[in-house]
Amino acid sequence: EDKVVQSPLSLVVHEGDTVTLNCSYEVTNFRSLLWYKQEKKAPTFLFMLTSSGIEKKSGRLSSILDKKELFSILNITATQTGDSAIYLCAVLQSGGSNYKLTFGKGTLLTVNP
Amino acid sequence: DSGVTQTPKHLITATGQRVTLRCSPRSGDLSVYWYQQSLDQGLQFLIQYYNGEERAKGNILERFSAQQFPDLHSELNLSSLELGDSALYFCASSVDPWNTEAFFGQGTRLTVV
């Protein structure tokens, strides 16, 4: 069975802290791994990672994929209260023209002032 | 505002009934995805359409069906509703299927009573 596991489930930090969120997976026909941020309603896209070892960066957020050890991390430096959200990891699998997207349960990040 | 429009925002209906959720993708996006988010199951991919054709199927129940029309808007039909179908239903759209960032609508909150 395909699995995407995120840890920790919940994290509370102070503004200015650096956090690392983890996503491990066991799936067949891996194609890419995606990170989303979900605040009050709709998820917003952060990163799509396809190749191992190449860091993707956007401001204070960065992410990297390890396809050998089957995990990805999302780093947030100098956290701000606006970073408080649920961070979702999803793995896209594809076999021929078939696609499947499996989400983890998410990490709830709370950044206190 | 992501540019993806979902209607209605909220829907309350009784068990056994049928409802239709509507999604208008961002201008220029050919691909539409439907997701279900509930407290116990998390975010789950249901189905994807590209330019009017079904492209990928996820954890979509047989009581649910969807279609994408020539003007690219999409509808998700949920029938014989059960209490467990209560969830937030998201639509997302992207230019290419699975290769580019998908933008989410604000969701339709369905409550089955």
Side-chain angles (χ1 to χ4, degrees):
Chain A
E1 187 189 335
D2 298 318
K3 281 196 302 188
V4 178
V5 178
Q6 291 186 247
S7 64
L9 289 177
S10 180
L11 189 55
V12 180
V13 300
H14 289 292
E15 264 193 318
D17 288 350
T18 293
V19 298
T20 298
L21 309 184
N22 302 290
C23 176
S24 64
Y25 60 91
E26 286 179 39
V27 302
T28 54
N29 300 320
F30 174 90
R31 179 172 169 136
S32 57
L33 186 144
L34 299 93
W35 284 99
Y36 290 91
K37 176 183 181 184
Q38 186 173 23
E39 294 173 88
K40 291 190 178 135
K41 274 270 185 109
T44 52
F45 173 85
L46 294 175
F47 299 110
M48 176 185 279
L49 302 154
T50 307
S51 302
S52 218
I54 298 173
E55 186 183 54
K56 290 222 172 174
K57 210 167 163 57
S58 175
R60 297 176 293 102
L61 276 66
S62 63
S63 184
I64 197 159
L65 174 67
D66 185 329
K67 286 165 76 171
K68 185 180 172 189
E69 299 297 329
L70 307 183
F71 76 91
S72 173
I73 59 172
L74 175 68
N75 278 319
I76 309 175
T77 58
T79 51
Q80 301 171 356
T81 54
D83 295 326
S84 296
I86 296 172
Y87 289 83
L88 294 163
C89 165
V91 172
L92 179 64
Q93 302 156 257
S94 70
S97 59
N98 296 318
Y99 291 87
K100 183 180 172 187
L101 188 65
T102 304
F103 283 84
K105 298 286 187 200
T107 293
L108 174 61
L109 173 65
T110 304
V111 181
N112 290 326
Chain B
D1 181 9
S2 66
V4 179
T5 304
Q6 288 188 249
T7 56
K9 286 190 170 52
H10 299 275
L11 196 48
I12 302 175
T13 191
T15 53
Q17 294 297 306
R18 173 190 169 94
V19 296
T20 297
L21 313 184
R22 184 187 167 102
C23 170
S24 294
R26 288 187 326 152
S27 176
D29 285 357
L30 298 177
S31 199
V32 168
Y33 314 76
W34 285 98
Y35 298 87
Q36 179 195 59
Q37 188 171 39
S38 59
L39 281 173
D40 54 341
Q41 296 286 331
L43 190 59
Q44 292 199 87
F45 164 66
L46 296 179
I47 197 164
Q48 179 233 346
Y49 282 81
Y50 178 73
N51 206 19
E53 291 188 9
E54 182 186 304
R55 273 293 186 94
K57 228 169 187 175
N59 301 324
I60 188 165
L61 299 172
E62 283 192 16
R63 299 183 285 109
F64 296 0
S65 65
Q67 56 185 132
Q68 187 179 28
F69 294 87
D71 67 353
L72 300 176
H73 90 270
S74 178
E75 291 180 356
L76 178 66
N77 299 297
L78 315 175
S79 62
S80 302
L81 285 167
E82 302 173 0
L83 296 176
D85 297 327
S86 296
L88 194 51
Y89 291 84
F90 287 110
C91 166
S93 73
S94 66
V95 173
D96 297 321
W98 301 114
N99 290 322
T100 55
E101 177 180 353
F103 293 85
F104 280 73
Q106 289 301 301
T108 293
R109 167 75 65 188
L110 172 66
T111 304
V112 183
V113 297

